Amino acid sequence: MAEIIQRDGTWTFDGESVRIVPGRGKGIHPLREGLGERVVPLRALAGISFEPDRKGGRLRLRLRDGACPVLRAAGGRLKDAADPYQLAVEKDRGGVAEYFADEVRNALLIEQVPADAVDGFLLPGPAVPVAGGGGDGTASFDGETVRLTWNWKAKEVKTSGGPVSFPVSEVTGVHWVPAIGLENGHLRFVRGDGTAPVRAAEYDPYSLDLWGLSKKEYTAVLVAAAVLVRLPGAAGRTAGPAQIAAPAAPPEATAPAPAAPAPAPPAGDHDVLLRRLRELGELHRSGVLTDDEFAAAKQAVLKNL
């Protein structure tokens, strides 16, 4: 088992999954606090890296495309501080971070986990009920019904009609964009066939207008992700602008094409080396090998592999 405990959170790897527990209090992004603990199975990972810097560094888990509904809903728009799969590492813990990354990499190698995209989510969505947002209102979702409530900043076209509620069965797409620079963001729910004219979020009763005045506005993506996993065909793609204006018919399910086989190593060598890596890991966990002995032996095997 490998573990790294930081103010930013705690990561634990047991050989089969990475357990992520975010830190608490000042400095922890509201999105990560709202999402809470995550258990990421090895098969959902595409890789891991440790990036050292003057202040310590950062551990980054790279997930296979499509494995996590939060990342799918975010569409690559999360800042580092909001990303649940990053961990800020303090200056004196760089060695522990490197060891943690090595353990995960070795497990990916031994289990031969592919790094390509997946057809369906391998992690659950945020726990419900969930709420988030800001700007001109708040979005909430209880697993069955989406509810939008407005604050005093909302336009009269929204407040005059009161809160809006609709079942998730009516939702055909969800689109989240954070505020960037002087441009407002939004959380938009698409209903029906999506052919209705698209209005600006500040005038759309099925959208939140996100102003970017608070980090808490990022929690709107948790609502988007929770809804996303409950849409029909929940391998779930978020509805981008083009999909909202003219949604394409969902493609028929097809079996993924088999991956091209990698060149085979000399007969017997590959299995022997993988078996040796497993043996070294067991000897290290049982205390027979010291950290230095294990690292040296492991590097020797990996060079041959």
Side-chain angles (χ1 to χ4, degrees):
M1 177 179 288
E3 183 175 62
I4 179 167
I5 302 173
Q6 299 290 273
R7 286 192 296 267
D8 198 37
T10 299
W11 286 15
T12 307
F13 179 58
D14 63 3
E16 296 181 354
S17 60
V18 177
R19 180 172 175 259
I20 298 173
V21 180
R24 293 186 178 183
K26 187 177 180 180
I28 306 303
H29 198 283
L31 188 154
R32 292 171 55 205
E33 282 191 316
L35 183 59
E37 181 179 325
R38 302 292 275 169
V39 177
V40 185
L42 196 63
R43 64 193 179 99
L45 294 178
I48 185 172
S49 63
F50 173 59
E51 303 166 4
D53 58 31
R54 290 186 303 109
K55 297 181 179 179
R58 187 171 293 273
L59 266 175
R60 297 178 188 264
L61 281 181
R62 184 164 59 89
L63 272 64
R64 298 172 67 185
D65 186 30
C68 174
V70 175
L71 296 186
R72 174 63 69 189
R77 302 181 186 95
L78 291 181
K79 296 180 179 180
D80 283 354
D83 190 337
Y85 304 112
Q86 296 190 31
L87 180 72
V89 177
E90 296 156 27
K91 192 170 184 179
D92 62 345
R93 306 298 285 171
V96 178
E98 289 279 13
Y99 172 74
F100 189 97
D102 281 346
E103 289 292 289
V104 175
R105 282 194 208 100
N106 290 339
L108 290 171
L109 179 64
I110 292 169
E111 298 299 330
Q112 299 183 349
V113 177
D116 57 352
V118 296
D119 295 328
F121 296 129
L122 300 180
L123 280 82
V128 293
V130 61
D136 64 355
T138 300
S140 61
F141 179 55
D142 63 6
E144 296 181 357
T145 303
V146 179
R147 181 177 175 85
L148 302 176
T149 57
W150 316 114
N151 58 34
W152 63 274
K153 304 172 190 174
K155 299 289 187 182
E156 185 178 357
V157 67
K158 290 183 175 181
T159 57
S160 62
V164 175
S165 298
F166 47 91
V168 70
S169 59
E170 293 182 2
V171 179
T172 54
V174 57
H175 184 218
W176 174 81
V177 174
I180 302 174
L182 298 178
E183 294 291 327
N184 287 359
H186 62 259
L187 172 63
R188 186 188 305 277
F189 295 95
V190 185
R191 301 163 70 243
D193 59 8
T195 57
V198 178
R199 288 184 279 182
E202 60 183 330
Y203 299 107
D204 183 358
Y206 300 106
S207 300
L208 291 185
D209 192 23
L210 304 176
W211 299 355
L213 300 178
S214 167
K215 290 181 180 179
K216 288 188 176 180
E217 288 192 13
Y218 268 75
T219 56
V221 76
L222 299 180
V223 182
V227 171
L228 190 62
V229 298
R230 290 166 174 82
L231 296 185
R237 301 277 178 179
T238 50
Q243 291 173 290
I244 294 171
E252 294 183 4
T254 56
D269 285 2
H270 192 263
D271 290 341
V272 170
L273 292 171
L274 288 177
R275 189 161 56 249
R276 180 59 178 157
L277 278 176
R278 293 191 187 96
E279 292 170 352
L280 289 172
E282 291 172 1
L283 291 172
H284 180 247
R285 283 191 291 272
S286 63
V288 175
L289 292 179
T290 66
D291 290 349
D292 291 341
E293 291 170 339
F294 172 66
K298 179 184 66 178
Q299 289 303 319
V301 174
L302 290 176
K303 284 180 182 179
N304 291 326
L305 187 63

